[in-house]
Structure formats: C-alpha cells, structure tokens
C-alpha cells in the first residue's frame, strides 16, 4: 500500500515563499509521475505542476509558471514544490498525487490514483 504525506504548508505573507514536501511510504516511486494539485474553498481541484519520475518531463499550470518549481529526490523518495512570490489567490489545500507513467496529459486529475491528504497554504495580503 502506498501512502503520500504532504508537509511544509502554513501561513505566509504575499511575496513570500514556501516549500512543500511529499514523502512516500510503502513502495518505491520507480516508473511513476508525481504532481501537485490545489483546491481553494468552494472551488474545484486544479492542476499546479507535474514531473515524471525521471525528471525528463515537467509541466506547469499557467498560474504557476515562473513562480513555482517542482522537483523530486528519488533517493529520498520525495517530491517537492517550491513556491515563490506567493499571492493571496494561491491560498488552497495542496495535494500531491502519483500515477504510473502515462501518455495522458500530466495535468489530468483523473489519471492520478494515489493522493496525499493535503497541506494547507494560506497567503495573507
């Protein structure tokens, strides 16, 4: 059984930075893609960023480009999301997710079959 646990969320002022981590247990992530999604109150869950486990393919939502960086450490079996220049509209619960490497769009929520329970990120003005 695979478990994903997010950490690193919290409260930060606009313009500040946070680094989210997603640690895995139970199995290795070999051959799997990792992604970050977020969900604000009253809104649907939306794609933020994704990375293939090899690191060859990386994809960002338009809202994240230039500000967020996704990375992974296969030795530690951990994925990261570095978030800079945070804005109040970034406030949401952030979820890490995993899927077996696929030709489907990396932004497709439905293709990810393992999910963490989320980390709250709150950005004040």
């Amino acid at each position: 059984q695979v478990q994903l646990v997010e950490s690193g969320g919290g409260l930060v002022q606009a313009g500040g930075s946070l680094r989210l981590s997603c640690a895995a247990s139970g199995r290795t992530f070999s051959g799997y893609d990792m992604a970050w999604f977020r969900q604000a109150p009253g809104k649907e869950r939306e794609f933020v960023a994704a990375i293939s486990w090899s690191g060859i393919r990386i994809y960002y939502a338009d809202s994240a480009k230039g500000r967020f960086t996704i990375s992974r450490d296969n030795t530690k079996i951990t994925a990261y999301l570095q978030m800079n220049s945070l804005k109040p509209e970034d406030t949401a619960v952030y979820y890490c997710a995993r899927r077996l490497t696929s030709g489907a769009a990396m932004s497709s929520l439905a293709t990810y079959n393992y999910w963490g329970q989320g980390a709250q990120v709150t950005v004040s003005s």
Side-chain angles (χ1 to χ4, degrees):
Q1 182 174 335
V2 175
Q3 293 182 318
L4 304 177
V5 180
E6 301 96 339
S7 62
L11 175 64
V12 65
Q13 293 184 337
S17 299
L18 285 173
R19 189 191 193 194
L20 302 180
S21 298
C22 178
S25 64
R27 287 183 177 273
T28 70
F29 279 74
S30 180
Y32 286 84
D33 301 332
M34 296 291 299
W36 291 92
F37 294 79
R38 68 187 184 187
Q39 187 167 22
K43 299 182 65 178
E44 295 183 354
R45 192 169 299 185
E46 65 177 1
F47 171 77
V48 178
I51 184 171
S52 63
W53 204 240
S54 68
I56 295 175
R57 293 186 296 151
I58 298 176
Y59 183 66
Y60 295 99
D62 288 342
S63 61
K65 290 180 180 178
R67 300 190 299 126
F68 295 1
T69 302
I70 188 170
S71 61
R72 85 287 179 274
D73 185 335
N74 289 353
T75 300
K76 296 181 178 180
I77 316 178
T78 303
Y80 304 93
L81 184 69
Q82 177 67 46
M83 303 184 292
N84 299 325
S85 302
L86 283 163
K87 306 173 182 179
E89 51 263 45
D90 294 318
T91 295
V93 177
Y94 284 71
Y95 299 88
C96 64
R98 190 191 80 166
R99 74 177 190 183
L100 186 65
T101 296
S102 171
M106 297 185 73
S107 60
S108 177
L109 183 151
T111 64
Y112 291 85
N113 58 338
Y114 290 97
W115 293 83
Q117 296 197 67
Q120 177 68 50
V121 172
T122 302
V123 184
S124 62
S125 61

